[in-house]
Amino acid sequence: MSQHEYRQNAEWTGNTGAGTTGYRDYERSVTVRVDGKADLLASADKPFRGDPQRWNPEDLLLSSLVSCHLLSYLHACVLADVVVTAYTDDASGTMITEGNGGRFIEVVLRPRVTVRDADMVDRAIAAHHDAHEWCFIANSVNFPVRVEPEIVVA
């Protein structure tokens, strides 16, 4: 087993001058920084008084699951001798709110994968199982992550 650490800095940039004197008196603007990477502008989701043009934590969680599965899947395909020529995912996540909090109850990944040859289709489908088992993010969440793949031949 090896251990990996990740660091970032998040700065609230939404003080309009009154601080948090009231729920409507501040913006939900946040700048997330990781050394050597472009700043990420984030906010709350629009229903929670956020800026809809910025990434929100819910977007980022879904994006983490999508990209982790995608990258794990490409690795699984190399090991299974499957040549992937295109990959898109129209994923969705469902969150419920309860009182002042909430939680995700499910994410569905819908990868559409193009492979080079028809004889790769069965292995390409099976590689999704391995990718799901290997995905660091899917292994870290406490809700189901379903994968509904579609495989097409180039």
Side-chain angles (χ1 to χ4, degrees):
M1 175 182 357
S2 61
Q3 182 172 315
H4 303 270
E5 292 189 26
Y6 299 89
R7 297 182 187 276
Q8 64 179 242
N9 171 270
E11 177 185 2
W12 172 53
T13 56
N15 184 350
T16 60
T20 58
T21 56
Y23 186 71
R24 297 181 185 341
D25 296 339
Y26 61 94
E27 294 177 0
R28 277 63 177 170
S29 301
V30 176
T31 301
V32 180
R33 295 181 183 94
V34 174
D35 285 343
K37 298 179 183 181
D39 287 355
L40 176 70
L41 302 180
S43 183
D45 195 9
K46 185 177 179 180
F48 309 108
R49 303 195 52 79
D51 182 344
Q53 296 180 346
R54 291 179 173 225
W55 287 85
N56 62 59
E58 297 80 14
D59 292 333
L60 294 168
L61 178 62
L62 184 58
S63 177
S64 293
L65 285 161
V66 168
S67 58
C68 188
H69 183 86
L70 184 158
L71 295 168
S72 297
Y73 181 75
L74 296 177
H75 177 72
C77 284
V78 168
L79 296 178
D81 199 27
V82 173
V83 178
V84 174
T85 60
Y87 185 116
T88 60
D89 193 333
D90 291 316
S92 62
T94 303
M95 185 182 81
I96 59 171
T97 56
E98 301 169 312
N100 286 326
R103 62 187 171 86
F104 273 79
I105 59 171
E106 178 183 57
V107 163
V108 181
L109 306 178
R110 295 178 186 87
R112 185 172 198 272
V113 179
T114 304
V115 297
R116 187 178 64 195
D117 299 315
D119 68 342
M120 298 176 175
V121 170
D122 290 341
R123 294 190 316 273
I125 292 169
H128 280 288
H129 174 76
D130 290 339
H132 185 67
E133 293 295 315
W134 301 342
C135 177
F136 304 140
I137 308 302
N139 284 314
S140 300
V141 298
N142 65 352
F143 53 84
V145 178
R146 290 189 296 122
V147 182
E148 298 176 354
E150 176 186 357
I151 308 296
V152 296
V153 178

